[in-house]
Amino acid sequence: MSAIPTMKDPSRRRARLLSLAVLVLACAPAAVAQPTNPILTAIPPNTARDLGAYTSEPVCGVPIGVTDYSRFTYDPVRHQLLMFGGGHATTPRTDVDAFSFATLTWTSAYPPTPESQLVFSNYDPALARWISTGHPIARHTYDQLVLDPGTGDLVMLARGHAGAYCTGSWGWESGRVGHYDHDTRTWSFSPTADNTYGGGDPYPAAEYDPVSGLIVIVAREGLWTYDPATRVRVQRLSYSEDMGYANNLVYFPPSQRMYYIARGSPTRVWEVVLDRANWSASTVTELATIGDVFDSDESGFAYDSWNHVIGGGVANGVFRAFDPVTRRWWSAVMQIQGAGGPIGSQAFHALDFDPVDGVFLFLTGYDDGSRMWAYRYGAATPAALSIDDVTVAEGDAGATSAVFTARLSQSSPLPVTVAYATANQSAAAGSDYQAASGSISFAPGITTRTLSVNVLGDTAVETDETFVVNLSGVLGATLADGQAVGTISDDDAPSIALRELAHASAVSDDASAATGDPGADAFRIAQGPRASYEVVLDGGSGDLQPVLERLAADNATVLQSAVPSGTGSSLGLRWQNTSGAPVVNQHLRVRSTGCGTACGPDDTYRLRAWETTGSIPRFNNGGTQLTVLALQNTRPLAIAARAYFWSPSGTLLAEHAFTLGPRATLVLNTTSVAGLVGQSGSITVSHDGGYGALAGKAVSLEPATGFSFDTPLASRPR
């Protein structure tokens, strides 16, 4: 029997390879430096593609399909899959299989140990290897193959099955932890660390922890770490959990936690919280999961870095996904691209995720043809997530709920989750509102969810105050608008006006004390949600020298001052209310810088008001039609504007903010706006350009026939 192979010094190689692997482990598709495969990238969401049958060289005269009880693991250093397994009489494999993403085929990484050498005299039980070749003996690898990106080694932590040979059955051997170097195509073994993990579990689950650089092993009787660089194993926790065996451990980067998924009726999940500064403080806790909880046989799972879920468990053409944030299971019946099928069920643990092309790869079992499949999880057109602004009256005491609506641009066949948290602006948490944070989830088919923030009442006269609700970490959708403004409307200041302006109002007055304070008059003006307004002061006479201002709810803070409009002393105010709530506590003030408190009946002016929001009663992106929105700024000054798109039932589908220079034109294909593909309804447009400043229309086109239908932009009649 030969001596134990000398462990190579991995430090230099570890530093070299880690820089390559970190691109993949960053879990962002745009950060990966490997070439994509056009066949894989063309797979639509929630669709699988048959990549062909898995075959390998026969051993002991028996053709081999899938290696029994094995798994494969993704190699982020070289962008390939590696597989080693077997352990039954029909699968005494000693070679590593490598899957190329360029050719989408499996090939043996090296010639296996010849059948003539699979004899007891060539057997090394201490290392569980063949002496002549140094290859490990065949074994069930389950979820015990881990690729260490630091050394680049494929690390095998599974014990050997000495009964899987052509000429005899010799039982099980623990052996030592094996390291496969893909550059030299050779195996070496740890000097002391064997493959036993407590007395009752020969088949734990292992996963690489990128935070500590260690491999974490979770078993029924404890938690261990293995250092691939020093090849030292340490037990960190001792416990006794009814966790089963031959299950799966998956690292979840968003929380830096791991999840142990156990087969059974039903499938069970343990959350592994790692305290890397004090390993003994780590915890392994079974979770109460919700959703499409299912019964499962031996299977495999992996982290989907594109959709931020843990997926796998393929059975009878159904794919399972677990969201650790909400602890919810989801299921999806996989569609098939091209020929092939039915898909069937995956073989043992043979599944992993390709972060370059964004697909899962898995093998099906013998009964389903031992075929290789690629599957892309997700919806065909990701929904766009946004959250509405809210305005709420403050109240004099207690708490009033500000209810924010988060909405998806379309229903999703897959779950959507997002985290939220409040943040101060002019309002302060604790005195003006209660800070809030958490997460919300959209079940498939649901497009709106609400969250509440408590606003604290008082009797102080103050300006309106604002805070924000920020969305983050969205899973299953794109983030179109991740911030909502909550406006706390002060309702403590008394109204300073007896008169109110509305659309098409016209008021002629003087600055005497007869209708207000000497030299100053005030008017209420109510504003609808997502609307725009213009107020013009003209016709000034005497010593007036007027000033026109828009005041905040405290009746003192000036929100906006009018600018010259037209000729002479004419002044204009133009603005948008972009929030989803009406504004009812603002005033307009006319004051004099000329006559002041001495103003009399001869110091006159005229005040006119209009709502300037334009409307288009029809757009249609349904069927084969698409709608183009064409708008022109007819004025010599730049304007800011927003187009709002509404469903036939009045639900806001999307909004598009834009700026137009003097006399400039906007031509917008509305299907390019997130959430408008396949939608129809109406459009409103608010702007700060004054009444009639925008002209335009929506043109619905039928590309195949050239048919078009024009719907003009209309303003409210004066």
Side-chain angles (χ1 to χ4, degrees):
M1 184 180 298
S2 64
I4 297 175
T6 303
M7 182 184 74
K8 61 191 175 188
D9 178 5
S11 58
R12 179 176 299 178
R13 195 162 162 263
R14 183 179 185 88
R16 172 171 58 87
L17 293 174
L18 188 58
S19 63
L20 298 175
V22 71
L23 293 174
V24 172
L25 292 177
C27 298
V32 177
Q34 300 285 354
T36 59
N37 184 298
I39 293 176
L40 299 181
T41 57
I43 297 174
N46 193 34
T47 303
R49 182 185 178 97
D50 186 352
L51 303 181
Y54 172 82
T55 59
S56 63
E57 294 298 321
V59 180
C60 306
V62 179
I64 296 176
V66 178
T67 53
D68 289 334
Y69 298 97
S70 62
R71 72 154 294 154
F72 47 72
T73 189
Y74 178 72
D75 177 357
V77 178
R78 304 169 188 88
H79 185 45
Q80 62 182 350
L81 294 173
L82 297 176
M83 178 167 62
F84 185 91
H88 283 296
T90 58
T91 54
R93 298 288 297 274
T94 68
D95 57 327
V96 171
D97 258 5
F99 179 81
S100 167
F101 284 98
T103 64
L104 301 181
T105 57
W106 288 93
T107 56
S108 181
Y110 53 79
T113 302
E115 294 179 19
S116 62
Q117 297 176 19
L118 301 181
V119 295
F120 187 77
S121 60
N122 191 39
Y123 171 53
D124 177 357
L127 301 186
R129 64 166 187 148
W130 297 109
I131 298 171
S132 59
T133 59
H135 300 165
I137 64 173
R139 63 197 66 199
H140 300 351
T141 48
Y142 297 106
D143 190 22
Q144 296 168 278
L145 284 180
V146 179
L147 198 294
D148 169 40
T151 62
D153 288 351
L154 176 67
V155 181
M156 181 172 62
L157 302 107
R159 69 176 187 168
H161 185 197
Y165 315 115
C166 302
T167 59
S169 178
W170 309 322
W172 295 93
E173 299 290 352
S174 169
R176 303 286 173 79
V177 176
H179 286 244
Y180 172 68
D181 182 342
H182 194 74
D183 294 335
T184 63
R185 311 297 172 97
T186 59
W187 284 88
S188 59
F189 299 83
S190 62
T192 59
D194 63 18
N195 294 309
T196 57
Y197 305 92
D201 191 356
Y203 302 119
E207 178 71 296
Y208 178 74
D209 174 28
V211 179
S212 65
L214 304 177
I215 294 173
V216 174
I217 304 108
V218 173
R220 290 181 291 189
E221 297 186 3
L223 181 148
W224 286 257
T225 60
Y226 178 79
D227 188 337
T230 63
R231 304 192 177 185
V232 173
R233 190 186 70 191
V234 178
Q235 184 169 4
R236 304 293 188 173
L237 293 177
S238 178
Y239 54 75
S240 179
E241 284 277 343
D242 180 22
M243 305 172 74
Y245 72 95
N247 292 312
N248 297 271
L249 184 65
V250 183
Y251 178 70
F252 187 66
S255 64
Q256 298 183 347
R257 297 178 178 182
M258 294 187 179
Y259 292 86
Y260 181 92
I261 302 174
R263 59 192 167 115
S265 300
T267 303
R268 300 158 68 194
V269 180
W270 277 259
E271 184 177 61
V272 182
V273 180
L274 301 174
D275 187 333
R276 298 163 178 91
N278 178 17
W279 286 94
S280 62
S282 301
T283 58
V284 179
T285 308
E286 185 173 4
L287 301 179
T289 61
I290 58 176
D292 300 334
V293 181
F294 60 104
D295 298 343
S296 61
D297 294 322
E298 191 171 327
S299 192
F301 293 88
Y303 173 66
D304 179 343
S305 58
W306 285 35
N307 293 289
H308 308 291
V309 296
I310 295 172
V314 177
N316 298 317
V318 177
F319 186 88
R320 311 287 182 172
F322 178 66
D323 176 12
V325 176
T326 61
R327 302 180 179 181
R328 178 181 289 274
W329 283 102
W330 309 93
S331 61
V333 177
M334 296 183 287
Q335 305 303 304
I336 297 176
Q337 182 188 51
I343 296 171
S345 302
Q346 75 182 62
F348 306 106
H349 298 256
L351 175 144
D352 213 335
F353 183 76
D354 164 20
V356 176
D357 301 289
V359 294
F360 287 89
L361 283 302
F362 63 90
L363 280 170
T364 58
Y366 299 118
D367 293 340
D368 296 309
S370 299
R371 304 192 71 82
M372 189 75 175
W373 289 83
Y375 168 71
R376 185 181 307 283
Y377 177 79
T381 302
L385 177 63
S386 61
I387 185 168
D388 293 346
D389 298 334
V390 170
T391 298
V392 61
E394 176 186 58
D396 293 335
T400 301
S401 291
V403 181
F404 294 83
T405 300
R407 62 181 75 248
L408 293 174
S409 59
Q410 62 192 45
S411 63
S412 172
L414 300 172
V416 175
T417 60
V418 66
Y420 69 87
T422 55
N424 291 347
Q425 287 193 328
S426 57
S431 57
D432 297 311
Y433 73 97
Q434 293 176 344
S437 62
S439 65
I440 53 176
S441 297
F442 297 78
I446 301 300
T447 58
T448 60
R449 291 295 308 273
T450 60
L451 62 95
S452 296
V453 178
N454 284 335
V455 171
L456 304 178
D458 60 41
T459 57
V461 177
E462 53 196 344
T463 62
D464 290 353
E465 296 169 314
T466 60
F467 63 93
V468 294
V469 175
N470 293 315
L471 303 182
S472 63
V474 61
L475 305 179
T478 60
L479 193 57
D481 180 3
Q483 185 178 85
V485 177
T487 300
I488 304 173
S489 176
D490 183 74
D491 54 3
D492 298 304
S495 176
I496 58 174
L498 298 176
R499 292 173 290 178
E500 183 171 358
L501 297 177
H503 174 70
S505 292
V507 176
S508 295
D509 203 352
D510 60 56
S512 68
T515 55
D517 294 332
D521 290 338
F523 300 85
R524 292 192 301 270
I525 183 163
Q527 305 161 45
R530 299 185 176 92
S532 55
Y533 297 87
E534 178 183 31
V535 176
V536 174
L537 184 151
D538 59 11
S541 65
D543 302 321
L544 186 63
Q545 299 181 25
V547 173
L548 174 62
E549 298 162 324
R550 183 161 60 97
L551 303 181
D554 62 355
N555 300 329
T557 302
V558 177
L559 297 176
Q560 185 182 13
S561 296
V563 297
S565 174
T567 60
S569 60
S570 177
L571 300 172
L573 280 174
R574 304 173 186 93
W575 73 96
Q576 301 180 75
N577 174 23
T578 59
S579 77
V583 176
V584 297
N585 57 357
Q586 292 182 5
H587 289 79
L588 298 179
R589 180 172 64 188
V590 179
R591 62 183 178 88
S592 170
T593 60
C595 53
T597 57
C599 291
D602 60 330
D603 299 308
T604 62
Y605 63 88
R606 180 177 65 167
L607 206 59
R608 292 176 293 166
W610 301 278
E611 181 184 346
T612 60
T613 314
S615 62
I616 297 175
R618 181 185 185 277
F619 82 93
N620 184 21
N621 290 331
T624 58
Q625 290 192 22
L626 62 86
T627 298
V628 174
L629 177 63
L631 298 172
Q632 181 193 13
N633 177 7
T634 65
R635 303 293 170 83
L637 299 175
I639 63 174
R642 284 178 182 256
Y644 300 95
F645 300 86
W646 307 88
S647 73
S649 64
T651 300
L652 181 65
L653 299 172
E655 61 182 84
H656 178 76
F658 59 95
T659 301
L660 286 177
R663 315 294 185 187
T665 298
L666 168 76
V667 178
L668 175 68
N669 181 346
T670 60
T671 62
S672 68
V673 178
L676 294 186
V677 174
Q679 301 288 347
S680 63
S682 60
I683 306 171
T684 58
V685 183
S686 67
H687 58 91
D688 63 0
Y691 187 88
L694 279 183
K697 60 184 177 180
V699 183
S700 295
L701 302 171
E702 181 71 58
T705 63
F707 168 82
S708 65
F709 187 91
D710 294 0
T711 308
L713 175 74
S715 300
R716 291 183 65 180
R718 294 196 187 215

